[in-house]
Amino acid sequence: RDFEQCNWFFQGNTPPQGFQAPNQVYICQTFENRHHFATLYSTELRSPVYSAYRYPCTQGQQQGRRPTPWFYEPQIEDSANIKEMTSCKLDFSELQAVDVDYHGTGYERGHLYPFILNRKESATSTCTLTNAVPEKHGANVRWFKEVEALTQKLAQTCHKSGRSAYFVTGASNPLAEKMKNRVSVPGTVWTALCCTFPQDQNNDPCLNDDVESEGEDIATYDKDFSTAFLKQMVPETKAEHLTVRELEDRLGGGRIFASCGGTSQDDEAETFKEVDELVQKLAISVDEQDIVEENSPPTPAEQNPAVDGEDLATEQADTPPEPASEEVDEGVCQSTITSALAPLGRIITLVING
């Protein structure tokens, strides 16, 4: 019903205010018995409203990988199901997107919480369809290069300065078109970053033994700050860099962070000028990299190549080789399918007993 079990992913332990969605579900995204991030999800749109996550926040022991198929959430189908993301070859869900919804559409699975930001099982956990929105390849690549790669470097600067980076990344302005006439396609994707000190530094799951030091090439900025990006999801449109206050106004007046980056509009604007200079410098270094995130459907060998091969994106160059995908938990699959078909069973019973 809320994010009480994973509120440390939000700045000040407070979720964004004023972000409502039809038939919304609060998900503490759980993988291998650990919470890795939080998502507000709409079962009517079959799409996330936003995901909230942290840097640094690497948890788990296993190497990060991209599961095949991507994870889905059994608890959305039935609250009695397990509260952990599951990789399963599910052909249909009434309440959420599944892998086959993307096949043959020309859309890629666009991460909200990006795979590249953290490591190990925390990276793997980002590959859940409740953390993805449909994006065209060109828009997906541009979002990665103009926003995700930049905010990763800003997060590293934040951490090197002794702070933690709090992110909220969301999708808005759904198009009239729906993927497979089911899954909402966003017109806009946005992200907001707050760099500040954690509320409880002595009891914070993200501040664990897996936290690594940043490299010598990472800049420092010894102030709290906030910043934001927004992009219209057409390939030719460049992402905008703006203050969090400006982003909130563009989104309709909600409140993303409890308090961050200055208490007044003037404070925020002054800090933004300095952060914008840092962003421009980081953008130059990002332009020199030839890396593209893979958010595309499974490889042609796993599908009908004549139908789905054209949707594949280039593998991100700095992503480690993916280990063999885990076996599908057919028991969980079956229980979820059974719960999804339960209403049909009741209708049949009523007809028979008519």
Side-chain angles (χ1 to χ4, degrees):
R1 295 182 180 180
D2 56 32
F3 294 116
E4 182 179 356
Q5 301 300 316
C6 57
N7 62 7
W8 62 85
F9 292 111
F10 302 97
Q11 188 269 322
N13 294 345
T14 304
Q17 304 298 305
F19 289 81
Q20 302 298 321
N23 300 322
Q24 62 189 25
V25 178
Y26 300 90
I27 305 174
C28 289
Q29 298 278 14
T30 307
F31 178 61
E32 297 293 348
N33 297 313
R34 293 182 178 90
H35 298 318
H36 295 275
F37 62 108
T39 298
L40 181 65
Y41 191 83
S42 170
T43 58
E44 181 173 315
L45 300 176
R46 301 180 185 89
S47 179
V49 179
Y50 64 73
S51 285
Y53 49 100
R54 299 260 305 270
Y55 179 88
C57 195
T58 288
Q59 300 183 77
Q61 301 300 319
Q62 300 177 23
Q63 179 184 8
R65 61 182 177 82
R66 299 173 187 267
T68 302
W70 273 35
F71 299 123
Y72 80 105
E73 282 291 330
Q75 62 178 306
I76 290 180
E77 306 295 333
D78 187 332
S79 60
N81 286 336
I82 61 172
K83 304 298 189 290
E84 180 160 331
M85 60 183 69
T86 303
S87 182
C88 175
K89 294 181 179 178
L90 194 64
D91 291 331
F92 177 80
S93 168
E94 182 62 36
L95 301 178
Q96 60 186 304
V98 295
D99 247 16
V100 294
D101 286 323
Y102 283 84
H103 295 176
T105 63
Y107 285 105
E108 298 174 357
R109 299 162 299 194
H111 284 81
L112 296 186
Y113 173 13
F115 181 92
I116 64 166
L117 192 64
N118 284 298
R119 300 173 294 108
K120 298 184 178 179
E121 291 164 15
S122 292
T124 304
S125 73
T126 67
C127 297
T128 174
L129 291 167
T130 53
N131 180 51
V133 295
E135 295 176 0
K136 293 293 187 180
H137 176 74
N140 189 8
V141 169
R142 192 154 194 168
W143 175 257
F144 170 73
K145 297 189 73 173
E146 294 180 358
V147 179
E148 290 180 350
L150 273 179
T151 53
Q152 180 188 28
K153 291 182 178 295
L154 284 173
Q156 292 170 329
T157 290
C158 175
H159 178 222
K160 191 171 182 179
S161 304
R163 294 162 171 81
S164 287
Y166 293 81
F167 287 90
V168 181
T169 302
S172 58
N173 300 328
L175 304 179
E177 172 193 3
K178 290 189 175 183
M179 187 172 67
K180 296 282 181 79
N181 294 318
R182 287 178 17 89
V183 181
S184 177
V185 177
T188 304
V189 174
W190 54 269
T191 194
L193 181 159
C194 169
C195 174
T196 190
F197 294 102
Q199 184 159 316
D200 184 358
Q201 298 189 49
N202 296 319
N203 188 28
D204 189 326
C206 290
L207 303 181
N208 55 49
D209 293 338
D210 281 322
V211 175
E212 296 182 345
S213 300
E214 304 296 343
E216 294 183 1
D217 59 326
I218 301 299
T220 58
Y221 181 78
D222 197 18
K223 293 182 184 178
D224 285 8
F225 69 87
S226 64
T227 197
F229 295 85
L230 178 147
K231 175 173 167 50
Q232 305 298 321
M233 294 310 288
V234 290
E236 60 272 16
T237 302
K238 187 175 181 179
E240 302 175 56
H241 183 212
L242 44 157
T243 68
V244 172
R245 195 181 302 265
E246 290 170 337
L247 175 62
E248 290 169 341
D249 290 343
R250 293 278 290 272
L251 296 176
R255 183 77 171 169
I256 297 175
F257 298 120
S259 61
C260 189
T263 56
S264 71
Q265 187 169 355
D266 289 342
D267 289 341
E268 185 179 23
E270 184 61 33
T271 302
F272 180 80
K273 291 179 182 177
E274 297 177 357
V275 174
D276 188 58
E277 292 179 3
L278 179 59
V279 166
Q280 299 307 318
K281 294 177 182 178
L282 293 176
I284 294 173
S285 65
V286 168
D287 286 341
E288 294 172 352
Q289 299 175 12
D290 186 22
I291 51 177
V292 177
E293 183 181 29
E294 179 191 60
N295 282 324
S296 60
T299 59
E302 296 160 340
Q303 308 176 15
N304 179 351
V307 175
D308 296 303
E310 74 275 12
D311 293 348
L312 301 177
T314 305
E315 178 72 33
Q316 183 179 315
D318 60 355
T319 300
E322 180 179 321
S325 58
E326 63 185 11
E327 293 183 5
V328 173
D329 187 339
E330 297 291 354
V332 173
C333 249
Q334 187 59 45
S335 68
T336 306
I337 295 170
T338 300
S339 65
L341 293 178
L344 178 59
R346 289 193 290 271
I347 292 173
I348 293 173
T349 301
L350 287 173
V351 171
I352 292 175
N353 295 334

